[in-house]
């Protein structure tokens, strides 16, 4: 065991890295953050565009713990539910919760990252090093080799411990794969995604409902749009790479226009640069990465996407990464200076939950692109909201994941039980009023009360 670790390398100054830097600096550690990219606060973002992310309770709790909540929430737009866009442009709003004031928030990834950097850099003990790429880790000694991308020089980054927050394609994890008995898998979806922009209206107004996450569910594919503070929306088309309905087939302006006119007719007039966006913006892949162990003795720990990259359909990747930081911080408080114990308890607590949210995120793709537009699903949701209003022990899976900090693994388990209860109650009925509430009460007591 190292005697009294006092310095930390944070590898990757993205969302998890910048937040973890704050947690560690607040405990009195000297924190060096190494980030491969240039400082985004000084450099224009790619074409001024950036994706936005849904922030919910787990992420917000982490921000509260560091005292940065108010400053970050200035960047956030509440979204109270899903606004469904049918092919005939009919709109249908589904609130996320039985309590219609409960919401998730849209935040710009770049704005959030920049603010986290500035807040963490303002703390004593935190130093950012930009354009510094982590290249190798010697696990037996804990030595981390960096490369200065300006001078090309390779050097050692001295610190007692290292926290690898270097994202889904983590260099640290890549080196860990070469250590004995390291498990690793990556799985790509058949779908990729492309971003498009709905600009603000002429007077800076929002051209669609501001406080909703917009979805155009179309069965095997979908488009979503989240609001930005400047009145614009960032749309993301999730679409297969191949096939008649696939990115590879949408190869001419005529085909793209015909496709959008048919599938998203109400969105077309709102996206003036549709063709330019479509042909200029990259098509990006969607991957689930699972691995274990996440830590090496008391020297290195993987955090955020580096340990568990998930698909974005539950809006939880960043929230889970922030929750990693909350949990790591709590174990540092509890077990320091014994970082072997800190890291071990962190990975035991988080791995099972990372698996659960990875699975739920994959399942939610089907719900978002297909089920949300289907009358049977809408009926189930209506019944579910009725159960939630009557029985405090019945909480929907969406609510458990997005509006509580109950461990993801428990949310997954309770979601399966909810399904069984709904299946039993919905048999042979076709209106919400017909639900046998006495039976519902009995089933909920029998199957769900144990969780409280
Ligand atoms: P990142 O944010 O990727 O940060 C990693 C950092 O490490 C980067 O700054 C990178 O430059 C740096 N880096 C990489 N390699 C090196 C190296 N070798 N040396 C030094 N630095 C390095 N999550 C949500 O919670 N809600 C959402 O709505 C949501 N929507 C999403 C939509 C899409 C399309 C995608 C792709 C993801 C979405 N996510 C969402 C997931 C979320 O973006 C990630 O989970 C989150 O960014 C993870 O944070 P991180 O800090 O672990 O990784």
């Amino acid at each position: 065991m190292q005697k009294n670790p006092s310095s930390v390398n944070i590898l990757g100054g993205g969302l998890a890295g910048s937040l973890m830097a704050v947690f560690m600096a607040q405990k009195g550690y000297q924190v060096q953050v190494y980030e491969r990219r240039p400082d985004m606060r000084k450099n224009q973002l790619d074409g001024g565009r950036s994706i936005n992310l849904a922030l919910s309770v787990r992420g917000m709790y982490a921000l509260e713990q560091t005292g940065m909540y108010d400053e970050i929430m200035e960047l956030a737009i509440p979204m109270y539910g899903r606004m469904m866009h049918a092919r005939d442009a009919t709109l249908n709003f589904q609130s996320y919760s039985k309590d219609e004031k409960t919401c998730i928030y849209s935040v710009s990834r770049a704005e959030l990252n920049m603010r986290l950097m500035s807040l963490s850099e303002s703390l004593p003990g935190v130093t950012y090093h930009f354009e510094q790429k982590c290249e190798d880790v010697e696990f037996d000694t804990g030595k981390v080799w960096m490369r200065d991308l300006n001078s090309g020089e390779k050097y050692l980054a001295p610190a007692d411990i290292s926290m690898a927050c270097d994202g889904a394609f983590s260099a640290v994890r890549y080196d860990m794969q070469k250590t004995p008995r390291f498990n690793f898998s990556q799985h790509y979806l058949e779908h990729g995604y492309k971003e498009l922009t709905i600009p603000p209206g002429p007077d800076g107004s929002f051209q669609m409902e501001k406080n909703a996450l917009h979805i155009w569910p179309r069965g095997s594919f979908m488009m979503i749009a989240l609001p930005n503070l400047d009145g614009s929306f960032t749309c993301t088309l999730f679409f297969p790479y191949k096939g008649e309905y696939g990115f590879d087939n949408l190869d001419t302006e005529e085909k793209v226009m015909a496709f959008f006119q048919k599938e998203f007719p109400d969105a077309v007039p709102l996206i003036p640069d549709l063709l330019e966006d479509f042909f200029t913006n990259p098509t990006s892949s969607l991957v689930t990465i699972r691995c274990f162990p996440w830590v090496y003795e008391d020297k290195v720990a993987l955090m955020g996407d580096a340990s568990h990259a998930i698909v974005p359909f539950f809006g939880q990747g960043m929230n889970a990464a922030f929750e990693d930081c909350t949990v790591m911080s709590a174990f540092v408080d509890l077990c320091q200076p014994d970082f072997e114990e800190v890291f071990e308890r962190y990975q035991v607590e988080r791995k099972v939950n990372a698996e659960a949210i990875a699975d739920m995120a994959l399942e939610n793709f089907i719900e978002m692109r297909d089920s949300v537009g289907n009358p049977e699903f809408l009926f189930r949701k209506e019944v579910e909201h009725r159960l939630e209003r009557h029985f405090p022990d019945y909480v929907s899976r969406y609510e458990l994941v997005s509006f509580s900090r109950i461990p993801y693994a428990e949310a997954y388990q309770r979601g399966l039980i909810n399904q069984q209860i709904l299946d039993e109650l919905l048999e042979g009925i076709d209106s919400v009023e017909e639900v046998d509430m006495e039976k519902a009460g009995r089933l909920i007591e029998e199957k769900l009360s144990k969780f409280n």
Side-chain angles (χ1 to χ4, degrees), residues 37-212:
R37 291 175 299 184
D39 186 345
M40 51 166 67
R41 294 165 297 180
K42 296 184 187 143
N43 295 275
Q44 178 80 31
L45 301 165
D46 297 343
R49 290 206 176 88
S50 71
I51 63 165
N52 40 26
L53 306 165
L55 173 67
S56 51
V57 161
R58 293 165 203 269
M60 287 152 66
Y61 178 77
L63 298 169
E64 262 169 31
Q65 293 292 294
T66 55
M68 297 188 296
Y69 181 84
D70 291 339
E71 276 141 310
I72 299 295
M73 292 313 280
E74 288 169 5
L75 306 172
I77 300 178
M79 299 183 291
Y80 296 99
R82 297 163 167 165
M83 182 69 84
M84 243 68 67
H85 296 242
R87 278 198 185 81
D88 65 3
T90 313
L91 297 179
N92 178 327
F93 181 76
Q94 293 169 16
S95 61
Y96 279 128
S97 167
K98 63 176 192 304
D99 169 5
E100 283 159 14
K101 292 205 178 72
T102 305
C103 60
I104 58 176
Y105 292 86
S106 173
V107 275
S108 147
R109 167 199 289 280
E111 294 292 337
L112 174 60
N113 207 154
M114 289 190 286
R115 192 151 301 184
L116 284 173
M117 280 177 178
S118 296
L119 290 167
S120 60
E121 215 176 27
S122 69
L123 296 175
V126 178
T127 312
Y128 273 77
H129 307 270
F130 291 99
E131 296 175 81
Q132 307 298 313
K133 183 179 173 207
C134 170
E135 288 204 334
D136 299 298
V137 180
E138 290 171 17
F139 289 99
D140 47 348
T141 58
K143 283 182 180 165
V144 177
W145 288 96
M146 304 296 306
R147 188 170 298 279
D148 182 324
L149 295 178
N150 289 312
S151 67
E153 181 206 350
K154 194 165 174 171
Y155 62 96
L156 272 175
D160 298 319
I161 54 176
S162 296
M163 293 177 173
C165 304
D166 53 343
F169 300 98
S170 165
V172 178
R173 190 190 62 232
Y174 182 72
D175 273 358
M176 242 170 160
Q177 279 176 245
K178 299 170 205 156
T179 62
R181 303 185 62 233
F182 185 82
N183 289 306
F184 170 77
S185 75
Q186 65 182 25
H187 182 261
Y188 284 92
L189 288 190
E190 304 281 299
H191 293 67
Y193 69 92
K194 192 180 280 289
E195 287 176 28
L196 308 163
T197 303
I198 295 180
D203 49 356
S205 60
F206 288 86
Q207 300 204 63
M208 302 188 294
E209 167 57 48
K210 172 186 175 188
N211 296 116

Side-chain angles (χ1 to χ4, degrees), residues 7 51 54 97 117 142 208 216 222 233 236 244 257 261 276 282 313 319 322 336 357 428 443 446:
S7 58
I51 63 165
S97 167
M117 280 177 178
M208 302 188 294
W216 290 256
M222 68 172 180
F233 287 83
T236 311
E244 191 196 337
M257 226 13 156
Q261 293 285 10
E276 197 192 324
F313 305 111
N319 287 287
F322 281 3
Q336 64 188 341
I357 191 59
L443 289 172
E446 191 186 302

Side-chain angles (χ1 to χ4, degrees), residues 15-16 35-37 54 109 134 166 305 315-319:
L15 300 176
E35 168 55 46
R36 186 182 55 183
R37 291 175 299 184
R109 167 199 289 280
C134 170
D166 53 343
D305 277 14
Q316 285 295 311
M318 165 189 64
N319 287 287

